[in-house]
Amino acid sequence: MAQRTDLDLDLEERRRLLDEWVTTRRQIAALEAKSYALLVERISVHDADVSESPHHRDAIYRSMIAEYSAAGHIPKGSVEYAFTDARTLTRALPAVHATFAAGAITARHVREIVRASEIVDDAIRDGRVEPATMSLYETAVLVVAEQDTAQRTKIHARQVAAALVGETVVERQRRFAAERCVTVKSVDDGLAVLTAVLPEWVAVAISDRLTRMARHIARTRGEREPILESLDDDCENALHLSDLSPEDPRYDAYFEAGVIAADGTFVTDPLAGLIDPLTDPASPDLEHLSGDTRTFDQIRADLLSDLLLSSDPSEANGAGLENVSARIQVTVAASTLVGDDDRPAELDGHGPLDPDVARGLAGRCTGWSRLFLGSTGLVTETDAYSPTEQMRRFLRARDQHCRFPGCRMPVHRCEIDHNHDHARGGRTRIDNLSHFCTTHHSLKHPDIDELHRWKARQTPDGSITWTSPLGRDYVDPPRRRVMFV
């Protein structure tokens, strides 16, 4: 029998801590489900109170929300959402409720599933789809929810709901577009939160452009000349050498003795006998100005202020920003693009997009690619002018974001990785390439010690299996285009 080493014991302890953490998280989710059940019971009490005193309906509701908000130290809006989610979960989503009670999904998963189910519920009440449609919705959503993050579940749930009810998602987006607004809320200490409710594709484009402009500034801030304030006491009446004609007696006097004052008199040159800082960088009279020390988020915030208040980034940010434009990625069926149908397009990495918006974007963009879908719903081919670009377009369409489980970083901010290292014989082909963000790409870098290095391998269906230093496997399946007929 092989003798256990210190490394074996260390790995065993790390696995134990991981397993206990996962178990605790499941227990927390199960307790959250229990709290939802208690809210449902409280709703029954509320309904009984309203039946006895229907004229005080609003007061009864406000009192209930206020008490739970105060007792739980939770904002009023969050308590209202919790009651709504609990009621919907019990009334319309029994399978999700059971999964939640088992601790297999979290409260955040439930919140996103309930939100996305609203359009399915509306369609059922309007008689546009059968009541059994909600069961289909639950089944399709839980496939992802039990294996992935709440954010990815949100996107999947919205896509499933949109497919199940047809064009309702388009009508819904157009209706809610009327709720565009901008609000300001003080957070004290001289700061405030500026909130803009915009069409999703517009907000994504704004965020992308701010990020790319901030990255440009951070990369080039060491190359910019500082903008200095004038040291003249009276800038308006100051007299400079360029203001004088060579025939003016004061012109020669400037070189002979000193400096010209505003009233035409002369004083001794204050720099006489000193090392000229303009010609000698070692001069003790050279003042060194501090550079741009802003964080990345601070640069983004300043850029947003500049663009909104002056319509152009401030001069201090340097040149080149006018060439930074926003980028978004949209997938739309050819039949929708030419107007044969109004199926929702997809804002990749986010969710459904109004087909009219997609057509408008297509009319102003030359970078569209034709995609071919296989029988499983996976993208299998794309048009291109060269093999290399064809592979890149395919990978962008397939991955949409970083392929580490749960990561949502869009592909245009990711790097294409050879899952089997190219330096060790890995081929440059579709089934060995995938997008990883900088953070997750570095996890498998060959320079990292084996004790902390991750491994990634791709299976024929496009899934990426990550193996942690503890030997645990985490699978990220490729995105599918879901469509129900």
Side-chain angles (χ1 to χ4, degrees), residues 17 40 67 77 130 148 201 293 319 321 394 418 469 478:
L17 292 172
V40 172
E67 185 164 10
E130 296 295 326
D148 223 322
W201 69 274
T293 59
L321 295 182
F394 180 93
H418 285 76

Side-chain angles (χ1 to χ4, degrees), residues 6 27 53 85 92 100 157-158 197 204 206 231 281 367 405:
D6 291 341
Q27 293 170 345
S53 305
D85 292 349
F100 189 26
R158 290 167 63 181
V197 179
V204 171
I206 290 173
L231 298 179

Side-chain angles (χ1 to χ4, degrees), residues 2-34:
Q3 185 176 0
R4 292 165 62 86
T5 65
D6 291 341
L7 178 59
D8 293 329
L9 295 174
D10 180 61
L11 290 176
E12 185 175 310
E13 174 65 8
R14 296 182 188 212
R15 293 189 184 103
R16 182 190 67 79
L17 292 172
L18 177 62
D19 290 339
E20 288 192 13
W21 179 82
V22 171
T23 300
T24 302
R25 294 286 299 174
R26 292 180 70 93
Q27 293 170 345
I28 291 173
L31 288 173
E32 287 271 17
K34 185 177 179 179

Side-chain angles (χ1 to χ4, degrees), residues 392-465:
R392 290 180 178 274
R393 289 184 183 276
F394 180 93
L395 291 168
R396 287 198 296 267
R398 183 197 69 185
D399 293 347
Q400 300 187 31
H401 47 64
C402 171
R403 295 298 306 281
F404 188 86
C407 185
R408 295 290 306 166
M409 185 65 71
V411 289
H412 59 264
R413 297 183 194 166
C414 295
E415 303 162 345
I416 294 181
D417 171 73
H418 285 76
N419 304 151
H420 179 198
D421 193 356
H422 185 265
R424 299 181 178 180
R427 300 283 298 275
T428 304
R429 61 188 188 190
I430 294 299
D431 58 4
N432 189 47
L433 299 173
S434 54
H435 286 89
F436 298 151
C437 68
T438 303
T439 299
H440 293 125
H441 197 179
S442 63
L443 290 177
K444 61 186 292 291
H445 196 279
D447 291 342
I448 297 178
D449 187 271
E450 186 74 26
L451 183 62
H452 307 291
R453 190 192 316 148
W454 288 62
K455 298 176 183 178
R457 67 181 186 278
Q458 187 171 161
T459 54
D461 68 346
S463 295
I464 306 297
T465 299

Side-chain angles (χ1 to χ4, degrees), residues 106 313 364:
T106 68
R364 295 186 293 272

Side-chain angles (χ1 to χ4, degrees), residues 210-219 221 293-303 413:
L210 287 174
T211 298
R212 298 178 68 207
M213 293 175 80
R215 188 176 293 118
H216 173 83
I217 289 174
R219 185 174 60 249
R221 54 184 161 190
T293 59
R294 295 175 296 172
T295 65
F296 193 76
D297 282 337
Q298 289 171 346
I299 295 175
R300 280 165 45 101
D302 292 344
L303 281 169
R413 297 183 194 166

